[in-house]
């Protein structure tokens, strides 16, 4: 199995944020999380080394809590990408195998692309393979410089490039596959004689050529995958690209997305075929939506939601951590949280499951069994169970369990004062 090194020590100044760059999120997952998941998803890598520096403790905590196969390695001070990789030397001194290098701020990279890349490295019997891409506007990227015969000569950074080199549109995507045993010595020999005075990882190409290693570039098919995040503008753009990709996947699988421009769905959500997602719907986190459901317009699913088949979630309905069984409807202005909702239930407009006690900070569960009808504008104060077939009258505040097939109602009786208005007017 291969190892990976994920560079994440840089400052991310342009994010203008107190949060480290790689811990910014797209939907409910961090940028770094997407990269680690993409690497793990190849099933070709068994261990990741995340290089941390700027706000190291926060990134270390994140990695430790979320990824058992990933270690963090501190780089302080940060003297460049080549210096960052050299931090791993003590850990991989005797390792013989492949090392994949990536950046922690490119969340759009996929396992498929990484697998293709590693396979290309193996097929070419390469020692150093760098991922390249062709960009109409290559500004700020390192340029791939090739020899007359097409072989790889070097990578030149924008700040070090001549005008001819700047005109090259093939760029360094910043992802590498290395035959570690043959390349590890390069990292103690890198120099800082460049415009930025840094140890450049890209200099391993020339080092490899000098040491007669097999050096290749592999051109990436889908350019958007290496989109890097440097600012909040980039973050929004990456969210848009990821969402477009996710929605296209759903539509290919038979989900109807009425308006892809106003629909936002976390890629961790699953949706069954023949489900219709109506405009202005926001779905974040891990959710499982069945077939033949109707969600939206203006619905918000917040994670941990399971909708069985034929469920309807309508406008201004928010659902969090809830299992809703088939043929149940919550069509208007409702909050359902920490709940188990049975099949064939009707939840009237304006129903709230009051699941949170802000004093004790405890969240409790609401259970609504099959065939229950909840009247409009009711509050179900958890923990509470509405047993099978029971009805709750409109405008009720339910604080005790309701027995099966009974009616519970807390509304004040209606009173009518006949001619009351006429009498007032005649006074
Ligand atoms: C780098 C490449 C460039 C490539 C581009 C792709 C070098 C010298 N240049 O440039 O050829 O086109 O990526 O995006 O490698 N980092 C550390 N420690 C450091 C410096 C950087 O961990 O000391 C991390 C950063 O957090 C970042 C990554 O390495 O995740 C890349 O660093 P960055 O400064 O963004 O490199 P670029 O100038 O974009
Ligand atoms: Ca830089």
């Amino acid at each position: 199995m291969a190892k990976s090194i994920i560079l994440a020590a840089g400052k991310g100044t342009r994010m203008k944020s107190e949060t480290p760059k790689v811990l910014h999120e797209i939907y409910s997952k961090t940028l770094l999380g997407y990269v680690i998941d993409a690497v793990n998803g190849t099933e070709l890598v068994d261990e990741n080394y995340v290089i941390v520096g700027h706000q190291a403790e926060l990134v270390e905590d994140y990695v430790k809590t979320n990824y058992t196969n990933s270690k963090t390695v501190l780089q302080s001070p940060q003297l460049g990408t080549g210096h960052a990789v050299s931090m791993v030397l003590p850990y991989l001194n005797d390792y013989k195998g492949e090392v994949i290098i990536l950046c922690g701020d490119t969340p759009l990279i996929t396992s498929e692309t990484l697998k293709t890349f590693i396979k290309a490295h193996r097929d070419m019997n390469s020692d150093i393979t760098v991922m390249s891409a062709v960009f109409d506007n290559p500004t700020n990227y390192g340029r791939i410089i090739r020899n007359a015969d097409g072989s790889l000569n070097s990578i030149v950074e924008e700040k070090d490039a001549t005008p001819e080199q700047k005109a090259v549109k093939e760029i360094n995507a910043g992802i590498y596959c290395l035959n570690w045993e043959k390349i590890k010595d390069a990292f103690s020999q890198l120099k800082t004689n460049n415009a930025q005075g840094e140890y450049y990882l890209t200099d391993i190409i020339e080092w490899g050529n000098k040491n007669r290693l097999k050096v290749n570039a592999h051109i990436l098919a889908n350019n958007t995958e290496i989109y890097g995040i440097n600012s909040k503008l980039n973050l929004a753009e990456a969210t848009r690209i990821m969402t477009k990709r996710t929605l296209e996947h759903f539509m290919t699988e038979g989900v109807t997305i009425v308006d892809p421009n106003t629909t936002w769905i976390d890629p961790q959500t699953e949706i069954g075929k023949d489900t219709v997602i109506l405009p202005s719907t926001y779905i974040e986190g891990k959710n499982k939506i069945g077939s033949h459901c109707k969600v939206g317009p203006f619905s918000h699913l917040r994670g941990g939601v399971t909708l069985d088949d034929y469920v309807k979630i309508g406008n201004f309905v928010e659902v969090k951590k809830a299992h809703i069984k088939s043929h149940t409807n919550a069509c208007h202005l409702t909050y359902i949280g920490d709940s188990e909702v049975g099949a064939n239930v009707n939840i009237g407009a304006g129903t709230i499951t009051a699941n949170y006690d802000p004093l004790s900070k405890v969240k409790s569960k609401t259970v609504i069994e099959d065939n229950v009808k909840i009247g409009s504008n009711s509050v179900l104060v958890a923990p509470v169970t509405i047993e099978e077939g029971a009805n709750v009258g409109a405008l009720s505040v339910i604080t005790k369990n309701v027995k099966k097939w009974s009616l519970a109602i807390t509304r004040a009786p209606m009173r009518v004062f006949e001619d009351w208005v006429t009498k007032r007017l005649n006074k």
Side-chain angles (χ1 to χ4, degrees):
M1 290 287 256
K3 311 281 178 199
S4 93
I5 301 175
I6 300 172
L7 309 184
K11 199 154 179 218
T13 318
R14 279 175 285 163
M15 295 303 279
K16 305 233 169 94
S17 173
E18 284 168 17
T19 303
K21 175 160 89 173
V22 295
L23 295 191
H24 279 77
E25 292 182 343
I26 296 181
Y27 293 106
S28 49
K29 201 198 281 188
T30 65
L31 304 182
L32 180 59
Y34 284 104
V35 176
I36 299 179
D37 285 344
V39 174
N40 288 345
T42 63
E43 296 181 344
L44 298 170
V45 176
D46 63 352
E47 203 177 17
N48 308 304
Y49 292 89
V50 180
I51 311 297
V52 298
H54 184 70
Q55 287 182 296
E57 308 77 39
L58 291 174
V59 185
E60 280 163 5
D61 279 354
Y62 173 77
V63 172
K64 206 181 278 170
T65 351
N66 292 284
Y67 294 98
T68 47
N69 74 335
S70 307
K71 277 195 181 69
T72 53
V73 181
L74 185 67
Q75 181 201 16
S76 179
Q78 292 104 43
L79 304 177
T81 48
H83 178 248
V85 173
S86 73
M87 297 297 110
V88 172
L89 286 172
Y91 299 89
L92 294 181
N93 205 11
D94 302 319
Y95 172 70
K96 298 177 176 57
E98 292 145 337
V99 169
I100 323 299
I101 302 177
L102 314 93
C103 293
D105 61 359
T106 53
L108 298 172
I109 192 75
T110 64
S111 301
E112 281 312 305
T113 292
L114 291 175
K115 270 199 265 190
T116 309
F117 177 63
I118 295 168
K119 185 172 182 299
H121 172 85
R122 289 174 181 175
D123 289 349
M124 291 185 288
N125 201 11
S126 188
D127 293 317
I128 302 176
T129 308
V130 52
M131 190 185 288
S132 72
V134 178
F135 279 0
D136 286 339
N137 178 8
T139 313
N140 287 331
Y141 284 96
R143 306 299 202 280
I144 300 285
I145 308 300
R146 290 180 183 269
N147 299 312
D149 64 357
S151 61
L152 194 55
N153 175 289
S154 55
I155 296 173
V156 177
E157 292 306 293
E158 169 105 9
K159 287 183 178 141
D160 301 291
T162 64
E164 299 84 71
Q165 288 170 331
K166 275 188 191 157
V168 171
K169 294 194 165 171
E170 188 182 2
I171 59 94
N172 168 23
I175 299 178
Y176 313 77
C177 189
L178 311 179
N179 178 342
W180 186 252
E181 199 185 354
K182 290 198 184 163
I183 192 72
K184 65 177 179 189
D185 289 340
F187 294 102
S188 44
Q189 294 170 30
L190 296 176
K191 305 251 161 33
T192 56
N193 53 347
N194 53 56
Q196 303 187 77
E198 291 178 359
Y199 295 97
Y200 284 173
L201 172 57
T202 45
D203 285 351
I204 61 172
I205 306 296
E206 276 176 287
W207 188 91
N209 279 327
K210 249 179 233 146
N211 289 273
R212 299 183 184 286
L213 301 184
K214 286 186 199 143
V215 179
N216 291 289
H218 173 78
I219 300 183
L220 174 72
N222 178 359
N223 279 348
T224 61
E225 288 199 25
I226 55 144
Y227 189 77
I229 310 298
N230 291 310
S231 68
K232 299 272 165 81
L233 276 82
N234 296 152
L235 190 63
E237 178 65 6
T239 307
R240 198 190 61 78
I241 298 169
M242 189 177 288
T243 303
K244 185 165 184 278
R245 196 194 271 172
T246 307
L247 297 181
E248 281 171 5
H249 161 76
F250 285 137
M251 290 186 275
T252 321
E253 295 295 313
V255 177
T256 301
I257 309 282
V258 174
D259 180 15
N261 291 318
T262 61
T263 302
W264 300 86
I265 306 180
D266 191 314
Q268 298 182 94
T269 285
E270 294 168 37
I271 308 182
K273 68 180 164 55
D274 285 324
T275 281
V276 179
I277 308 290
L278 292 144
S280 295
T281 291
Y282 190 82
I283 299 178
E284 59 190 315
K286 282 187 193 159
N287 306 285
K288 233 177 148 171
I289 301 175
S291 298
H292 301 281
C293 293
K294 207 167 168 186
V295 179
F298 300 99
S299 302
H300 184 190
L301 307 193
R302 288 176 47 209
V305 173
T306 301
L307 306 183
D308 290 353
D309 298 345
Y310 297 97
V311 168
K312 276 193 203 160
I313 300 296
N315 39 202
F316 306 106
V317 174
E318 174 181 339
V319 189
K320 195 203 169 188
K321 246 181 118 188
H323 180 188
I324 301 180
K325 292 195 180 150
S326 63
H327 295 278
T328 284
N329 301 334
C331 291
H332 337 264
L333 305 157
T334 282
Y335 173 65
I336 302 173
D338 294 288
S339 299
E340 288 281 337
V341 183
N344 212 16
V345 168
N346 192 67
I347 298 193
T351 299
I352 306 290
T353 58
N355 61 331
Y356 182 60
D357 174 1
L359 294 183
S360 65
K361 296 194 162 62
V362 170
K363 282 183 184 149
S364 305
K365 204 165 165 183
T366 303
V367 178
I368 301 173
E369 294 182 355
D370 294 350
N371 300 307
V372 164
K373 312 295 169 210
I374 309 283
S376 295
N377 251 339
S378 295
V379 180
L380 312 177
V381 182
V384 72
T385 297
I386 318 293
E387 290 183 7
E388 191 187 346
N391 281 22
V392 169
L395 202 61
S396 294
V397 179
I398 302 299
T399 50
K400 289 183 230 138
N401 294 349
V402 179
K403 284 261 174 309
K404 26 169 106 163
W405 305 107
S406 51
L407 168 70
I409 190 160
T410 67
R411 185 203 314 158
M414 178 168 147
R415 295 194 293 170
V416 178
F417 302 90
E418 277 181 22
D419 289 330
W420 185 87
V421 178
T422 334
K423 283 177 200 156
R424 283 285 305 265
L425 289 175
N426 294 341
K427 236 181 207 171

